[in-house]
Amino acid sequence: QVQVVESGGGLVQAGGSLTLSCRASLTYFSDENVAWYRQAPGKRRELVASFYARGVIVYDDSVKGRFTISRDNAKNMVYLQMNSLKPEDTAIYYCNSLPPPPEESDEWGQGTQVTVSS
């Protein structure tokens, strides 16, 4: 189970940067694989970046080289540093475990909106 609150989204121009934050309420946060997901209107929710409990990091090809996922186990926090943003990055960004709960689950946060203008 993962219960999260995402923040840090906003409106930026293409090429700009944002840092997203996720506060996770978990008893054993350090044992969880955590990840960032995003969902644009009318599109499927997709996996963006993963940070496994033992340190393995995996990025989707669409963000590789531009985004950096990090975590602070002592603070139960997950971050996503996003650089060189593109309009196609526009989406609601969510954090959760990997594998995630069903989209219908109440274990998702509200997400944080990222809008990248051209």
Side-chain angles (χ1 to χ4, degrees):
Q1 297 183 25
V2 60
Q3 297 169 313
V4 296
V5 178
E6 302 95 343
S7 62
L11 173 64
V12 298
Q13 193 172 14
S17 299
L18 284 173
T19 299
L20 307 184
S21 298
C22 170
R23 184 181 67 229
S25 299
L26 295 169
T27 303
Y28 300 106
F29 177 83
S30 62
D31 294 333
E32 291 282 349
N33 306 324
V34 298
W36 285 96
Y37 305 82
R38 67 185 180 188
Q39 186 167 27
K43 301 183 70 175
R44 67 194 307 184
R45 189 168 299 177
E46 63 181 13
L47 179 64
V48 175
S50 308
F51 199 137
Y52 290 86
R54 295 185 179 181
V56 175
I57 296 173
V58 180
Y59 297 100
D60 183 78
D61 286 343
S62 66
V63 306
K64 191 175 300 181
R66 300 187 297 119
F67 290 11
T68 302
I69 187 172
S70 60
R71 64 189 294 173
D72 186 338
N73 289 342
K75 298 180 180 179
N76 284 14
M77 295 290 292
V78 191
Y79 305 96
L80 186 68
Q81 175 65 49
M82 305 184 295
N83 299 322
S84 302
L85 283 161
K86 304 175 180 180
E88 50 263 46
D89 296 320
T90 295
I92 301 175
Y93 284 71
Y94 304 89
C95 64
N96 219 299
S97 59
L98 181 71
E103 292 188 18
E104 307 296 332
S105 172
D106 62 0
E107 296 182 359
W108 292 91
Q110 295 296 310
T112 186
Q113 176 72 48
V114 172
T115 302
V116 184
S117 64
S118 59

